[in-house]
Amino acid sequence: MLYGALEEDEHRQLCHRLHAAIRSNKNDGSGLHVIGSGACMQVSITPENSSTKHTVCTSNYRYLYWTCTQMLAHHTVTGCNMRPGDLMGSGTISGPEPANYGSLLELSWGGSKDVHLDEGITRKFLHDGDTVSITGYAQGDGYRIGFGDCSGKLLPAL
């Protein structure tokens, strides 16, 4: 597993090199990458019995390795059709700095470090009763399109 193979500083340096290489790639000309370069997201955790949202990640579509066009090609190359209205997920979007890490597993370094929230609350993993909220928007010259707040509460296993 990556967390055991690399020290945190080595991981951060590797991320910086990877993201520098991504930024140096040329646009594929579709225009989709231009929209994506301004797509921002934020992930927050609201612990049970708290009204405070604690931001654990702010990231941006520009940190993705693949463009929308490339993801579409990968999805459809084996014959899986796409139709108008279909949604595609990019997966985790992790940037080069800890504030941009796209998963709690990455933030907690595989569960070996506490992630400090406000009010003295820590997490390594989500707890029953936590509410996770994702907000996002794409922004360009003269426009901003968002999907608002997408939230879900983690319920205990039955």
Side-chain angles (χ1 to χ4, degrees):
M1 190 159 104
L2 177 64
Y3 305 104
L6 295 175
E7 294 297 322
E8 190 170 359
D9 288 338
E10 292 174 312
H11 180 259
R12 188 171 296 137
Q13 290 172 4
L14 181 63
C15 286
H16 279 287
R17 287 198 313 269
L18 174 64
H19 293 294
I22 292 168
R23 285 189 298 275
S24 70
N25 285 341
K26 298 292 183 208
N27 186 339
D28 66 355
S30 68
L32 294 173
H33 191 68
V34 173
I35 292 172
S37 66
C40 302
M41 66 160 225
Q42 179 175 317
V43 180
S44 316
I45 298 173
T46 306
E48 191 168 37
N49 302 320
S50 175
S51 59
T52 305
K53 282 186 175 184
H54 305 277
T55 301
V56 293
C57 171
T58 55
S59 196
N60 193 296
Y61 188 88
R62 72 175 169 259
Y63 297 131
L64 284 176
Y65 184 76
W66 304 108
T67 66
C68 289
T69 305
Q70 290 167 324
M71 286 189 278
L72 178 64
H74 179 77
H75 179 81
T76 59
V77 72
T78 60
C80 185
N81 295 328
M82 292 293 292
R83 298 187 319 190
D86 286 351
L87 297 176
M88 289 183 57
S90 64
T92 303
I93 303 175
S94 294
E97 299 296 326
N100 309 128
Y101 291 172
S103 73
L104 201 51
L105 185 66
E106 193 174 9
L107 284 166
S108 70
W109 208 249
S112 67
K113 292 176 28 177
D114 286 331
V115 176
H116 296 277
L117 309 177
D118 298 332
E119 303 168 351
I121 299 169
T122 61
R123 290 287 186 272
K124 291 181 181 178
F125 303 98
L126 292 174
H127 291 189
D128 289 345
D130 284 349
T131 299
V132 178
S133 301
I134 303 171
T135 57
Y137 61 88
Q139 182 170 301
D141 189 25
Y143 72 89
R144 182 175 173 156
I145 303 167
F147 65 81
D149 184 54
C150 176
S151 296
K153 184 173 183 175
L154 188 64
L155 299 177
L158 298 176

